[in-house]
Amino acid sequence: MTTTPTPPTSWSDPGPVAVADGIYRIPLPLPTDALKAVNVYAIEDGDDLVLIDAGWVMTESRDALEKGLGQLNHDLGQVTRFLVTHAHRDHYTLGVALRREFGTKVALGLGEQPTLEKLTDPTHNVREAQTARMKVCRAAPLIEGLWALPHVDHDYKQWEFPDEWLTDRQVIDLSTRTLEVVATPGHTIGHVVFVDRDNRLMFSGDHVLPHITPSIGLEPNNKQLPLVSYLQSLALMTELPDLRMLPAHGDVRDSVHARVGELQQHHEIRLRQTLAAVRDGATSAYAVARVLPWTRRERTLDSLDLFNQIMATTETLAHLDVLAERGELTKTTQPDGAFLFEPLD
Ligand SMILES: [Zn+2]
């Protein structure tokens, strides 16, 4: 959900933009304009190129990447590796497509393995997964809305396993620099960031974004408590040196720590609002989501489109789970499978 206004500069204008010595930010288009673009970072490594994130598989993105690299006198065939921060379509799927064409190696965090198993499964059904999640939130109107939409098959062919699973604190030796993999579960279970300590840089993926707070729990396997993990992964950032932030959406910023502080504050405020809603009598995630304000315009849940209502309800459940985990609320599972939350009194 949006918390800070978008600055007047258009970070999403086609690149490349030099962001550090031998590193270029190349924004690639997305089919929906909500996020505007996804940044791919091209790292020059001798004659090779290593790319952080790959983009969404669509012709316009492939063309933008080819053109961006062309302006740097490079081409797609020089890309030897995609190091991908997480298994969301806008970061991963163009890498799979370009691997088919050029044999490029694709690497992804090991924590994404169960997600990839789902996404590569032809029988995976997104609507059923969303329905199950909304049942837990007791969001009957949203389930009704989902089933009123025409069915869209999950496009499993866009998904394949990576060549390499990256593990926490793994060191990747390039010829010109060293990158350290740091696991940052939260936005997705297997999200990783890439740290270049010598040059004081962090490729922060969607873990730390400059303009928005990353969505939480928007993945097929969200059995864990994603916001508990996310807040831990935010705190982890402050244990690293303060680095320059190279995010997947938005412009480069000087300090990861400064933005982490803002994100932590946002979630604490949200947790207080969530607790107050339960004390006022809302018990399910959907009931709480309906009394909370959404987006920086403070809209009601009902005024959002269906997809955003589902996202907001999922996020509310994540906040409720943090409060239950902290012992500020009780959580019970009802016979219909719904989680209900109550104040301690
Ligand atoms: Zn993203």
Side-chain angles (χ1 to χ4, degrees), residues 35 86 90-91 187 206 249:
L35 283 172
H86 63 293
D90 52 330
H91 300 255
H187 176 61
D206 281 5
H249 308 280

